[in-house]
Amino acid sequence: TRMPDFWIHNCDIKQFDAYEFFAGKGKSEHVEGALWKLNYYPQAALTAKPSELQIMRNFENAIKKLGGTTVATDKGKETLKLTKDGKEIWIEVRAEFTSKHSLLIVQKEAMTQDIVANAAAFASDLKSSGHVAIYGIYFDTNKATLKPESTAALDEITKLLATDPTLKLYVVGHTDNTGNVDANLKLSQERGEAVLQALVRDHGVATARLKASGCGPFSPVAPNDSDEGKARNRRVELVKQ
């Protein structure tokens, strides 16, 4: 429920998006899934306005009563986490001295893939621009571990290589600009290598046809000042050798 005598000033709901939750000093947790943003304003007649702490503590206690936990707290900001009915839910509570406050909620889940990775489309982009971004490859957060839902894209890359026996590719990992530059460079290299190894190990592609590399955050395709832009920048590209 909302705080007494408050109203929803605005609300935004997205079927799938991502958010970097505050997880402690110098740490964040990237969470993707269904996203809700709600901003609450006090009624004009409200004279005894609750403090930042009172607002945050109310939400914190409500979440804890459902079995949730506090991940991290900072001045005017708190991250909470709840696992309920098999679903992992992340909540950020922000409160101002004016008593205005907001909730940002992400129910963690994989995106429903609408665009199918297609070998013919890959070949067309390679022919026209020399490279192609593969957005159907997924990794665990901040790791180079491929997720099972990457299989469809890897199958199409295999088909691409099968249609042109002379084709050789660089497999290039990219990141957004979140975190340390050196760590991102290392992660992008490891992700490129993980894709290469999966193609060789599980799809029978000859090692000599592939070479892994990583660009870290140095070749963005969108601004990194929004979650949407960061999602586009976290990608694997195939580049014609």
Side-chain angles (χ1 to χ4, degrees):
T1 59
R2 71 185 73 172
M3 294 288 292
D5 298 314
F6 278 75
W7 58 282
I8 296 176
H9 179 259
N10 57 57
C11 173
D12 186 24
I13 300 173
K14 294 186 177 179
Q15 186 179 29
F16 183 84
D17 210 334
Y19 189 72
E20 298 289 336
F21 285 90
F22 172 68
K25 189 174 181 180
K27 295 190 293 183
S28 65
E29 182 73 23
H30 179 84
V31 184
E32 297 183 351
L35 184 147
W36 295 262
K37 293 180 182 177
L38 300 104
N39 290 308
Y40 295 94
Y41 280 21
Q43 299 279 3
L46 185 62
T47 54
K49 295 179 180 178
S51 67
E52 297 173 29
L53 178 61
Q54 184 178 349
I55 292 166
M56 294 200 309
R57 191 63 55 79
N58 262 276
F59 284 108
E60 178 186 331
N61 290 339
I63 293 298
K64 285 183 176 179
K65 191 173 181 180
L66 293 172
T69 58
T70 300
V71 177
T73 304
D74 200 3
K75 181 173 174 57
K77 178 172 66 176
E78 185 169 37
T79 300
L80 307 167
K81 181 182 176 183
L82 171 67
T83 301
K84 187 173 176 63
D85 299 327
K87 295 187 179 296
E88 185 176 307
I89 302 165
W90 288 72
I91 306 104
E92 179 183 272
V93 184
R94 286 180 180 262
E96 303 177 10
F97 72 94
T98 62
S99 290
K100 295 177 182 178
H101 57 280
S102 65
L103 290 180
L104 192 145
I105 304 165
V106 177
Q107 182 173 292
K108 189 174 182 179
E109 56 191 38
M111 182 184 72
T112 300
Q113 183 65 25
D114 299 309
I115 298 173
V116 179
N118 182 277
F122 296 166
S124 176
D125 282 356
L126 284 171
K127 184 177 180 179
S128 62
S129 64
H131 66 98
V132 57
I134 313 296
Y135 285 105
I137 294 176
Y138 306 100
F139 298 92
D140 289 343
T141 302
N142 293 325
K143 295 180 181 178
T145 305
L146 280 164
K147 291 186 174 183
E149 50 264 41
S150 303
T151 301
L154 295 173
D155 286 343
E156 293 300 319
I157 295 172
T158 305
K159 290 179 186 177
L160 168 70
L161 288 160
T163 58
D164 183 356
T166 65
L167 180 63
K168 293 184 178 182
L169 298 170
Y170 294 109
V171 183
V172 186
H174 296 262
T175 69
D176 59 32
N177 67 347
T178 303
N180 181 272
V181 170
D182 291 337
N184 279 330
L185 275 171
K186 182 174 181 290
L187 178 62
S188 65
Q189 175 72 40
E190 290 173 346
R191 286 182 169 180
E193 187 65 35
V195 172
L196 184 155
Q197 293 299 330
L199 289 168
V200 171
R201 180 185 63 247
D202 303 326
H203 297 265
V205 177
T207 307
R209 300 184 67 185
L210 304 171
K211 185 173 181 180
S213 186
C215 285
F218 294 126
S219 186
V221 292
N224 277 300
D225 53 8
S226 70
D227 290 334
E228 292 85 355
K230 288 183 177 182
R232 288 187 63 197
N233 291 332
R234 292 189 302 271
R235 67 197 189 281
V236 171
E237 286 200 358
L238 304 178
V239 179
K240 195 171 181 179
Q241 290 190 28

